[in-house]
Amino acid sequence: FQTKISQCQSEMLMRGQRVDHLFGSVLGDIIHKYKLFVQKVRLNLSRIQDYEHNYVKSVQRPVQLLRFIKKDRLPRIQNEINFLHYLFSLTREINLGDLVEFLSDIQWTETAQRRVKDEFLLKLMPSPLWKKSYSITCVRFCDHISCETQDRIWISDRNNLFLLDSTTGSNLCNITNSCKLKSGCHTVNSKFELIYICKNFNINKLSRDRKTKSTFIESQDPEWKALSVYCSTFTGDLLVGIKGLSTDTGIVRRYDPTGGNTQTIPDDKTPHTLYRNPLFITENCNGDVVVSDSQQKAVVVTSREGVHRFSYTGPPSGSKLRPFGICTDALTHILVCDGNTRKVHLLDRDGQFLSYLLTQNSPGIQNSPRSLSYDVSLRLWVGSGSGRNNTVSMYRNLNRNPIYDD
């Protein structure tokens, strides 16, 4: 009996070793095939990334792209891997574990909306190039500028709005029902309609042909007065700087293109002392909301979500800021007119002072720069002067990057 038991144990041990050897062989074959699969996937991804890189570089240089298409045949990515074969041969643990982890490490980029960024196509000039100036006698102060088209700009003082032909400087139209504020009280939307704050602090809209006038946003609370407006060139939203008369605080409200209120800055998590007198407002290319606040004596910048990013109060020398007109350029620089230094300060997107872009002694500037705006051709318009001695001047401070001239 003992002999039979020993024989059975020995036979079971031998069969167990065979099964273990067979299992190890099968598992080793699966692991080998999986590694081969991963290597082929990585090789194909590397090829795709190389082709994509070459195409993107070529797209930035249109002439080279055409030559590339004419000379070379576009690559065809063949199905070199039998995915079903390997997926069926993989165990559940490998399929859901290692494979998912491997695929998660792949860095995907969204190419459907890929655009050549302005920082590649444009370059900041060492100093602005003065092009032309017009003496403006129809206003007492050139408080604000809004560019409608390449050859038409709106300017305002504390009483009226005027549409000027930017090629000749002649007056094309005027509006007398605007609010009596020395602020950024008007803007132009993508349909070339003028949006402005009127005397009763409603926000009106004037059609491009200047024949139809309507109330776009009606003032609801007499304790809150709209001071500044800006229409986003990216979303079409309207940003409105508003002052609380009894609280001595300010807010920024965002309205969608239909006039619906979609956001209020600051929100409940941000102190309501963020703004006090938001006289001028604009938006940066990165979505930041940029406000020139005369009582805070600062340029106050929040993110698109309304989170306070920084407040610029003056250059490193420590001189206090007296901010007026403000705008941003295509390279996300912030430009602001300062009444104390009588200069235009140039900041980067994070509020670091870069230089004085223009001064009271710059060509085309009368006394002190007061208002700023860019037109569709990226030409900088600057309003300056006071009394009956006002000037609107046009400058170039952004130029095409020479490395992309072809």
Side-chain angles (χ1 to χ4, degrees):
F1 182 74
Q2 281 292 69
T3 303
K4 289 185 178 181
I5 292 177
S6 298
Q7 290 176 351
C8 288
Q9 288 177 342
S10 177
E11 187 175 353
M12 291 173 62
L13 182 61
M14 289 177 61
R15 290 186 177 181
Q17 289 175 347
R18 289 177 184 175
V19 171
D20 183 63
H21 177 73
L22 181 62
F23 178 78
S25 177
V26 172
L27 182 61
D29 184 56
I30 291 175
I31 293 175
H32 174 72
K33 291 179 179 179
Y34 172 69
K35 289 182 177 179
L36 181 64
F37 166 76
V38 169
Q39 289 175 354
K40 289 186 176 181
V41 169
R42 285 177 172 164
L43 179 61
N44 276 338
L45 287 175
S46 177
R47 289 175 180 173
I48 293 172
Q49 289 172 352
D50 289 341
Y51 287 130
E52 182 188 18
H53 178 70
N54 290 334
Y55 290 162
V56 171
K57 285 185 64 178
S58 299
V59 168
Q60 293 175 357
R61 296 171 179 249
V63 174
Q64 289 187 4
L65 174 62
L66 295 176
R67 290 174 180 169
F68 176 78
I69 294 175
K70 183 177 180 180
K71 183 177 66 174
D72 294 339
R73 179 175 297 178
L74 297 179
R76 173 192 275 174
I77 301 174
Q78 299 182 359
N79 183 16
E80 300 177 332
I81 306 173
N82 188 346
F83 285 94
L84 293 177
H85 170 75
Y86 285 105
L87 287 176
F88 282 126
S89 65
L90 294 176
T91 64
R92 183 174 180 83
E93 287 76 18
I94 294 176
N95 185 20
L96 296 181
D98 297 339
L99 186 58
V100 170
E101 182 179 355
F102 164 71
L103 294 176
S104 298
D105 290 337
I106 299 174
Q107 300 296 320
W108 300 98
T109 59
E110 186 176 343
T111 58
Q113 298 179 349
R114 185 189 296 267
R115 296 185 303 174
V116 179
K117 295 184 177 180
D118 287 328
E119 50 258 40
F120 295 126
L121 297 179
L122 299 173
K123 184 178 181 181
L124 183 67
M125 298 170 62
S127 60
L129 179 63
W130 175 49
K131 290 290 188 177
K132 57 185 176 182
S133 296
Y134 300 114
S135 178
I136 308 299
T137 60
C138 56
V139 296
R140 295 186 58 192
F141 297 92
C142 194
D143 288 323
H144 188 53
I145 299 175
S146 293
C147 295
E148 181 181 284
T149 62
Q150 186 174 351
D151 55 0
R152 291 183 177 182
I153 60 175
W154 287 94
I155 64 171
S156 64
D157 60 10
R158 294 155 208 191
N159 298 299
N160 300 289
L161 265 163
F162 297 91
L163 179 63
L164 299 183
D165 186 327
S166 62
T167 59
T168 63
S170 59
N171 184 16
L172 302 177
C173 173
N174 69 290
I175 298 174
T176 58
N177 192 30
S178 61
C179 63
K180 294 183 179 296
L181 294 172
K182 49 181 180 179
S183 64
C185 59
H186 53 89
T187 184
V188 176
N189 64 15
S190 60
K191 298 179 180 179
F192 306 105
E193 298 170 318
L194 177 70
I195 299 174
Y196 66 97
I197 305 171
C198 62
K199 290 180 179 179
N200 56 6
F201 295 98
N202 290 338
I203 298 177
N204 288 354
K205 182 185 291 186
L206 181 68
S207 62
R208 183 180 184 181
D209 60 10
R210 299 181 292 282
K211 295 181 179 179
T212 305
K213 187 186 300 182
S214 60
T215 300
F216 183 51
I217 299 172
E218 188 173 355
S219 178
Q220 301 291 335
D221 190 343
E223 288 297 317
W224 293 93
K225 302 296 185 183
L227 303 182
S228 54
V229 291
Y230 178 79
C231 188
S232 169
T233 58
F234 304 102
T235 63
D237 292 346
L238 187 70
L239 298 171
V240 183
I242 303 173
K243 180 177 178 60
L245 300 182
S246 60
T247 60
D248 196 32
T249 59
I251 58 174
V252 170
R253 283 186 180 150
R254 181 185 296 270
Y255 296 88
D256 62 27
T258 64
N261 183 201
T262 60
Q263 184 188 28
T264 299
I265 305 173
D267 56 20
D268 295 335
K269 298 178 182 180
T270 307
H272 280 263
T273 56
L274 190 63
Y275 308 116
R276 293 182 63 191
N277 200 40
L279 280 184
F280 297 87
I281 186 169
T282 189
E283 182 185 49
N284 212 339
C285 298
N286 60 358
D288 286 352
V289 178
V290 184
V291 171
S292 174
D293 193 310
S294 60
Q295 283 186 250
Q296 294 283 42
K297 297 181 179 179
V299 174
V300 183
V301 178
T302 63
S303 67
R304 167 64 177 81
E305 294 74 24
V307 179
H308 181 232
R309 291 196 61 227
F310 63 86
S311 292
Y312 171 78
T313 56
S317 61
S319 61
K320 294 182 179 179
L321 193 69
R322 188 183 169 202
F324 290 118
I326 196 166
C327 70
T328 61
D329 66 17
L331 299 180
T332 66
H333 295 125
I334 300 172
L335 292 72
V336 58
C337 294
D338 177 24
N340 283 338
T341 60
R342 297 187 177 184
K343 299 174 181 178
V344 176
H345 297 209
L346 180 68
L347 320 176
D348 68 12
R349 72 184 73 183
D350 298 316
Q352 296 299 312
F353 175 80
L354 299 179
S355 66
Y356 292 120
L357 188 68
L358 294 166
T359 71
Q360 59 180 332
N361 298 319
S362 298
I365 300 297
Q366 292 284 350
N367 188 21
S368 177
R370 191 174 187 88
S371 51
L372 302 167
S373 184
Y374 276 94
D375 64 18
V376 293
S377 298
L378 301 182
R379 301 177 303 181
L380 175 64
W381 290 90
V382 182
S384 61
S386 61
R388 292 297 178 183
N389 189 19
N390 293 278
T391 300
V392 174
S393 302
M394 189 265 282
Y395 301 85
R396 277 282 188 190
N397 73 312
L398 298 177
N399 205 359
R400 183 174 174 82
N401 199 324
I403 67 174
Y404 294 107
D405 280 344
D406 58 351

